[in-house]
Amino acid sequence: MRKDIEDWIRLHLLPGVGPIRFLNLIKHFGSPGEALKAGVRELSSVVNIDKTTAEKIVSEREKVKVEGELKQVEKLGGDIICFLDDEYPELLKNIAHPPPILYIMGDIDLNQRMVAIVGTRTPTVYGRTMTREIARGVAESGLVVVSGLARGIDTEAHKGALEGGQTVAVLGSGIANIYPAENRVIVERIVENGAVISEFPVYAKPERGHFPRRNRVISGLSLGVVVTEAPVGSGALITANHALNQGREVMALPGSVMGGKSGGTHMLIKEGAYLVEDADDVLECLGLERQGEVDREEKIPTSLDENGLKIFNLLKVDEPMHIDDIIRETGLSSSIISSALLEMELSGFIIQTGGLMYMRARH
């Protein structure tokens, strides 16, 4: 971390100082430390800092406690990247109102080529399956998949990426407050094969207003955004809009016209988004080539015991099977089956398509 990291954190935690004012202060004074020394009159001369805000900065700056913030980041094995650091991603630095600070868990170069994959929190089996397949193919090609760790499409994007390479999860909460809670297990895998990042203080709750801000970071890190399944009004379309404003490519996967789950993606395509059907289409849109041939031989999870292999061999690609049917067909107990299914899902061998339905992952 920077030697003056406490000044960065202190300014970051001050009430009323968001990304815009923070960076205006840095531009005016040269560093957070100099900004924190300034009086009301000097602060009031900064763009977008009125007298009331300046007075609040002066009165609150000594009250802000940064030690706990830094200790928690250290406890989590994390790091903090500041706007002026070499590690700060260049693409993100050049958007309107970039976050001045990024909290990060994981060890990854954020200046790698990245592609965002986003969509609805309540996807269909088709949406889950195609998202995972596209994410895996994109990751296998050497790109990092970025998404928002939300339920549904985001989670499938992360899972698919982990099957083929690396992924970055951008949070709408602090890194010590993983949301949704059920994704804590996958977060552990993401930290090992990518990164979890947030612009929000370490203990920040997943407040409603945080997610549009998170979405601009998702698109800001990326060369382009793929929306795989989203109805009209989906938050994923906010990410697509950010991408357009940031000069990024916007891509969309067509889906069924029934039910409305793909209404948003179809709207994007009508408005000029690049239609994609697989990872190769994503690469084509970005003007990139797949890095080498990918081995598509079926993977057999040899680490599984006899019961686990019995379950795996029962499942098929593109034919989801309910857990009750698996119990009936195998004659195994629900505890054995649940444990084996979880192990295979975390290893990327199977996909849970929703409603306790499982099928083999496509490899």
Side-chain angles (χ1 to χ4, degrees), residues 311-363:
I311 298 167
F312 179 79
N313 290 330
L314 180 65
L315 298 175
K316 299 179 181 179
V317 176
D318 294 337
E319 293 184 27
M321 191 173 191
H322 194 274
I323 191 170
D324 290 344
D325 295 324
I326 299 173
I327 292 172
R328 185 176 62 254
E329 291 289 333
T330 62
L332 300 172
S333 70
S334 60
S335 60
I336 290 175
I337 287 176
S338 295
S339 177
L341 289 173
L342 177 61
E343 180 180 348
M344 287 186 281
E345 185 178 9
L346 291 175
S347 299
F349 295 115
I350 67 170
I351 298 171
Q352 182 180 176
T353 62
L356 297 178
M357 302 285 287
Y358 296 85
M359 67 181 186
R360 286 196 191 187
R362 188 189 298 273
H363 288 288

Side-chain angles (χ1 to χ4, degrees), residues 62-82:
E62 296 304 324
K63 300 177 184 178
V64 175
K65 305 298 182 183
V66 302
E67 294 82 5
E69 191 87 352
L70 290 171
K71 284 181 180 179
Q72 184 61 33
V73 172
E74 183 178 355
K75 182 180 179 180
L76 292 167
D79 200 357
I80 299 173
I81 299 174
C82 301

Side-chain angles (χ1 to χ4, degrees), residues 18-32:
I20 299 174
R21 285 173 174 161
F22 191 114
L23 294 176
N24 285 344
L25 287 166
I26 297 299
K27 184 177 181 179
H28 185 90
F29 291 104
S31 72

Side-chain angles (χ1 to χ4, degrees), residues 118-168:
V118 296
T120 179
R121 286 175 168 80
T122 56
T124 62
V125 171
Y126 165 81
R128 289 179 181 274
T129 304
M130 292 303 299
T131 297
R132 198 151 176 171
E133 188 168 319
I134 290 172
R136 181 174 62 245
V138 168
E140 286 174 340
S141 74
L143 279 73
V144 178
V145 172
V146 183
S147 200
L149 200 71
R151 296 182 180 94
I153 292 297
D154 287 16
T155 297
E156 296 303 323
H158 292 305
K159 288 179 178 178
L162 289 169
E163 293 166 10
Q166 293 183 306
T167 185
V168 169

Side-chain angles (χ1 to χ4, degrees), residues 176-187:
N177 195 3
I178 300 301
Y179 178 82
E182 64 260 29
N183 274 348
R184 288 173 182 164
V185 173
I186 194 173
V187 161

Side-chain angles (χ1 to χ4, degrees), residues 197-231:
I197 68 174
S198 174
E199 68 176 295
F200 301 107
V202 67
Y203 286 109
K205 296 179 180 179
E207 297 176 1
R208 187 179 185 90
H210 288 177
F211 294 96
R213 290 176 59 182
R214 174 205 64 176
N215 292 348
R216 88 192 192 290
V217 175
I218 292 173
S219 57
L221 287 166
S222 308
L223 297 171
V225 171
V226 184
V227 184
T228 53
E229 188 172 60

Side-chain angles (χ1 to χ4, degrees), residues 75-108:
K75 182 180 179 180
L76 292 167
D79 200 357
I80 299 173
I81 299 174
C82 301
F83 184 76
L84 297 181
D85 291 342
D86 291 339
E87 297 88 352
Y88 194 96
E90 283 296 322
L91 281 178
L92 186 62
K93 184 178 289 187
N94 291 312
I95 71 169
H97 318 314
I101 284 177
L102 293 174
Y103 297 82
I104 179 170
M105 294 190 298
D107 184 15
I108 189 173

